[in-house]
Amino acid sequence: MLLLVLPWDAEAEASAEWWYLRRWLIGEARTVFGEVEVVAEVPADPPAHTEATLVLRSCRVLIGRASLRRMREKLMANSRDGGCGAVYATDLTTTGPQASSDLFTLADFEQAEAVWLGGCDTEASTLPAAEGVSPAALLSPAATALCASGERIPGARAGLCYEFIDYYGGERADVLPLLPPDLGAESSVLEVGCGRGATAALIRERFGCRTVGIELNPEAALAAESRLDRVVRGDVQAVEPGETFDAIVAFELFEHLTDGQAFLERAAGWLRPGGRMVFSVPNVGHYSVVEDLIAGRWDYVPMGLLCATHVRFFTRRTLEDWLHAAGFDRYRIDAQVTPLPERIDALPDSLTPDRESLTTAGFYVSIFV
């Protein structure tokens, strides 16, 4: 049996995204180990039938069957040789050409994983005890007990993982230039889907304005209340803020709404004359999604272009049609551009590829009223 140590709190419990990743992880682990039991903390005394313990740093860590299989093989080999009882996974965000980059699709991860596993010298990448910190570690039962006591255990690197960003704690400084420059002490800004309030708090700090948030996750909303002037808890498609604002911001929200157009029309009524709404949405025409479709794939992930909770998908054309249908004619759309790989840029003109769309991971939309 594999013991899966997965940190889990009330915020994760209320998150459909992290529940999706949890179920996916269990499925991958069962493929390799068979039986899987999930616990929240490293046990000092693992159950007698435990083969190994997979310790994840957070509920945001993705690790697949290929890496788990390699880590299991390495752990078994170490045990036979009398070696250490720990094997660690390297975080994709800290290694290789993808370092510090977003994970666009599951295929992106699998391709990077195949390259890494194919070229990794696990003996040369052994972690000293003082550096035995990784988003994912596979431990023998004896090493599990030592880990529970706080001891750091040296071990080889034999797998690859990816830790998604803090979904509810992210700060979006990139959108500050899109806000009205004359916001000040007499202004009010609403952030829809404010998470723990990091972005709205940044807006208040930068402009000195009053900030209000709306948040579905009750635990994230509770944390936001200490940072913002006011927080409304609930589904934005059902709640009302009860006041008007000089600006409304919403980042990666509309693709999650069952009737985003109705909400957009309603939210326009929350803006004061001369106000502005700024939001962002992903572009389903990005090369990573197109490439997956050519390969017959459409894999949901916890966060990103194909987030498991997306119910609406946009390109520039459909976004423009959507805005016009909602009655908005004064708007600006700015592309969030990513580099285009040579293999995609080399597509023949006979396919009439829209290279602007292929390079666009998402759109910033500014609506002026």
Side-chain angles (χ1 to χ4, degrees):
M1 180 196 74
L2 175 72
L3 201 61
L4 172 58
V5 180
L6 183 64
W8 201 257
D9 56 18
E11 185 181 275
E13 184 74 18
S15 170
E17 290 80 12
W18 299 139
W19 268 108
Y20 177 85
L21 179 56
R22 178 187 177 118
R23 295 183 181 104
W24 186 89
L25 285 168
I26 293 172
E28 293 294 287
R30 282 176 176 158
T31 300
V32 179
F33 292 91
E35 185 182 356
V36 177
E37 180 180 336
V38 181
V39 295
E41 297 180 349
V42 180
D45 186 17
H49 58 300
T50 301
E51 175 188 342
T53 302
L54 177 63
V55 182
L56 301 184
R57 181 165 61 190
S58 74
C59 66
R60 308 189 307 272
V61 177
L62 179 149
I63 184 167
R65 65 186 68 180
S67 287
L68 289 175
R69 191 171 287 115
R70 180 68 65 85
M71 293 170 74
R72 184 190 193 193
E73 293 169 356
K74 186 63 178 177
L75 188 66
M76 294 173 64
N78 286 347
S79 299
R80 288 194 300 269
D81 297 339
C84 59
V87 178
Y88 295 93
T90 294
D91 189 351
L92 177 61
T93 60
T94 63
T95 186
Q98 293 85 4
S100 300
S101 297
D102 292 332
L103 178 66
F104 291 124
T105 69
L106 184 60
D108 276 348
F109 176 80
E110 291 175 351
Q111 291 164 11
E113 181 184 48
V115 171
W116 197 91
L117 292 177
C120 176
D121 180 358
T122 56
E123 298 302 332
S125 58
T126 298
L127 285 169
E131 298 176 7
V133 177
S134 166
L138 189 66
L139 308 176
S140 68
T144 300
L146 292 174
C147 180
S149 68
E151 185 171 336
R152 289 186 173 181
I153 308 160
R157 292 187 182 274
L160 195 69
C161 65
Y162 182 88
E163 187 167 19
F164 291 93
I165 63 171
D166 186 353
Y167 190 72
Y168 297 99
E171 184 181 86
R172 293 292 300 271
D174 55 309
V175 301
L176 293 179
L178 301 176
L179 292 173
D182 57 350
L183 290 175
E186 302 301 318
S187 306
S188 291
V189 176
L190 171 68
E191 182 180 9
V192 182
C194 66
R196 297 191 214 106
T199 299
L202 178 65
I203 291 172
R204 182 168 69 172
E205 177 185 345
R206 180 65 58 88
F207 295 99
C209 58
R210 182 173 180 273
T211 53
V212 176
I214 298 177
E215 175 54 44
L216 177 63
N217 188 305
E219 293 299 316
L222 180 63
E225 287 174 354
S226 65
R227 311 182 71 178
L228 309 184
D229 294 284
R230 178 170 165 253
V231 175
V232 179
R233 302 188 192 186
D235 185 343
V236 70
Q237 296 175 110
V239 301
E240 292 282 341
E243 58 180 293
T244 57
F245 304 91
D246 298 282
I248 299 174
V249 296
F251 309 116
E252 276 63 58
L253 169 79
F254 285 94
E255 61 274 14
H256 298 269
L257 303 182
T258 55
D259 195 346
Q261 183 171 320
F263 166 69
L264 184 64
E265 295 169 357
R266 187 162 57 92
W270 303 343
L271 282 171
R272 295 169 183 167
R276 184 183 307 182
M277 179 181 292
V278 177
F279 64 89
S280 58
V281 295
N283 173 37
V284 77
H286 186 253
Y287 78 83
S288 60
V289 179
V290 173
E291 193 170 28
D292 270 15
L293 285 171
I294 292 173
R297 300 188 60 169
W298 179 280
D299 306 303
Y300 286 106
V301 290
M303 293 178 60
L305 299 179
L306 297 181
C307 177
T309 55
H310 287 182
V311 297
R312 182 73 165 83
F313 301 92
F314 296 95
T315 64
R316 179 183 288 270
R317 173 68 179 271
T318 56
L319 182 57
E320 290 176 342
D321 290 345
W322 185 66
L323 291 169
H324 284 300
F328 298 105
D329 295 316
R330 297 184 63 239
Y331 62 82
R332 187 182 73 218
I333 299 176
D334 297 304
Q336 302 169 16
V337 178
T338 63
L340 192 63
E342 290 185 7
R343 65 182 184 277
I344 303 296
D345 196 34
L347 288 173
D349 290 337
S350 59
L351 293 178
T352 62
D354 183 342
R355 287 179 169 79
E356 180 183 359
S357 176
L358 292 170
T359 62
T360 300
F363 302 101
Y364 299 110
V365 181
S366 301
I367 298 176
F368 309 93
V369 301

